[in-house]
Amino acid sequence: MNALIRQFGKPWVWSWLAAFIVWFLTIMVTGGAGTLGLSQAALTFAAFSVIVGIGQMFVITLGPGNIDLSVPATMTLAGTVALKLMNVENGMVLPGFLLAVFIGLGVGLCNYTLIKALRIPPIIATLSMSFVVQSGAIWTNRGLRIKPPSVLAEFTTTNTLGVPNVAIVAVLISILAWILLEKTIYGRWISAIGQSMPAARMAGIPVDGTRFVTYLFCAMLASISGYLLACFSGGAALNMGAEYLLMSIAVVVIGGTAVAGGDSNVPGIWGASLFMFLVVSMLNTYGLGAGIRLIMTGLIIISVIMLAGGRRGMR
């Protein structure tokens, strides 16, 4: 019994519990019809939130004030430029992917340059950078919607043993993130920096280098997500990353990562991402209007955060 109570004291449990409850309420309305389709759709759309959410989680773990608001623009630019380079040719899949990653690394480099060299707060630096990056995406796109190569379109929209391929990619990235956080000195460094940057400096931790790598990692994951999303959607759109600005932050908070920094939570990102998709699906299933859906979504999110926060405070 005590072991069960300890499990419920873990912050990631509450996001998963909330996701399960919403999933159950949704299939109750349909009488179980479409359960497999709903589950696969949840895994598919949650995968994109997971990838960008993990990057945002790493940045937020660095401590108060650290956040990356350039995520949506990075997704859009990476997806747009990669598709334009590939030009529907299957043989250009790898060069397109590498270009997307390179764009992400470039955005991350510019973000941290603004933060460190010009001493601009991260929220301002990354927001400013997002305008520049989005302008680049607009200039590159020019109103065109280039289709992805057929092999990528098929990969991102199909399943392997019933599991969406994009979800498998997100799982692999999640495992990598967990290893970085839990099994490497880099993970201990970002946790230490998030808990106290002055103390981390005194302990000899390379604070600037660690923060630099973290912003690079976040932007790179955003570009990978944009690359996959553009292929999944059948082409890059200028607004395709818009919803992931608040989404990338929401899944971090709901998933149990400490907003004050120093404590991250990879399993919680998955639970929160599934929850965010399923709650919208549930409200749609119940036939509620758009305004009511937004209000209910906000209230449900607040309730989950308060419940999980209250439980953590009781430990």
Side-chain angles (χ1 to χ4, degrees):
M1 186 64 181
N2 290 333
L4 181 62
I5 293 175
R6 284 196 299 271
Q7 289 298 318
F8 275 92
K10 295 182 178 180
W12 62 266
V13 171
W14 293 97
S15 61
W16 279 95
L17 180 62
F20 174 77
I21 291 173
V22 173
W23 175 82
F24 181 76
L25 292 175
T26 303
I27 63 173
M28 285 291 290
V29 176
T30 62
T35 301
L36 178 60
L38 174 65
S39 302
Q40 290 179 333
L43 287 172
T44 298
F45 287 96
F48 302 113
S49 300
V50 167
I51 296 173
V52 296
I54 287 175
Q56 195 74 267
M57 177 191 69
F58 270 71
V59 171
I60 290 176
T61 303
L62 288 172
N66 286 284
I67 194 169
D68 189 350
L69 299 185
S70 66
V71 164
T74 304
M75 293 176 66
T76 302
L77 181 62
T80 299
V81 176
L83 287 188
K84 192 168 185 178
L85 175 68
M86 291 185 290
N87 197 28
V88 202
E89 297 181 16
N90 290 332
M92 294 296 290
V93 168
L94 181 58
F97 175 76
L98 294 177
L99 178 60
V101 171
F102 179 77
I103 289 172
L105 294 175
V107 173
L109 173 63
C110 292
N111 279 336
Y112 196 69
T113 299
L114 292 176
I115 294 170
K116 182 62 180 178
L118 301 182
R119 299 185 181 278
I120 301 176
I123 190 171
I124 303 299
T126 56
L127 179 62
S128 302
M129 193 62 206
S130 71
F131 292 130
V132 176
V133 175
Q134 187 68 22
S135 297
I138 294 173
W139 179 82
T140 304
N141 186 280
R142 296 182 181 178
L144 301 176
R145 189 178 179 89
I146 303 174
K147 292 183 178 180
S150 59
V151 65
L152 269 181
E154 182 179 359
F155 173 79
T156 55
T157 55
T158 55
N159 309 318
T160 299
L161 300 178
V163 181
N165 290 331
V166 290
I168 295 175
V169 173
V171 168
L172 294 176
I173 292 175
S174 302
I175 293 173
L176 172 62
W178 183 84
I179 292 173
L180 287 175
L181 288 170
E182 302 293 334
K183 303 297 181 180
T184 69
I185 192 170
Y186 166 71
R188 293 192 289 272
W189 282 350
I190 64 171
S191 295
I193 293 170
Q195 292 168 15
S196 175
M197 188 179 296
R201 290 188 187 278
M202 293 179 63
I205 294 175
V207 172
D208 294 331
T210 303
R211 294 179 71 204
F212 172 60
V213 170
T214 303
Y215 275 91
L216 286 182
F217 186 59
C218 179
M220 183 184 70
L221 289 184
S223 67
I224 293 174
S225 182
Y227 175 83
L228 294 173
L229 181 60
C231 296
F232 173 80
S233 305
L238 291 176
N239 64 343
M240 73 176 194
E243 67 177 281
Y244 293 94
L245 174 57
L246 295 180
M247 180 71 74
S248 66
I249 301 171
V251 297
V252 173
V253 176
I254 297 174
T257 294
V259 181
D263 186 19
S264 51
N265 196 318
V266 175
I269 297 290
W270 267 101
S273 297
L274 290 168
F275 168 73
M276 291 295 289
F277 173 81
L278 288 168
V279 73
V280 175
S281 297
M282 179 189 72
L283 296 176
N284 285 334
T285 302
Y286 279 83
L288 299 178
I292 300 297
R293 288 202 306 270
L294 291 173
I295 294 174
M296 291 297 295
T297 300
L299 291 176
I300 292 171
I301 291 172
I302 291 172
S303 300
V304 172
I305 293 174
M306 289 181 64
L307 181 60
R311 287 288 179 177
R312 288 198 296 270
M314 292 171 60
R315 286 187 297 170

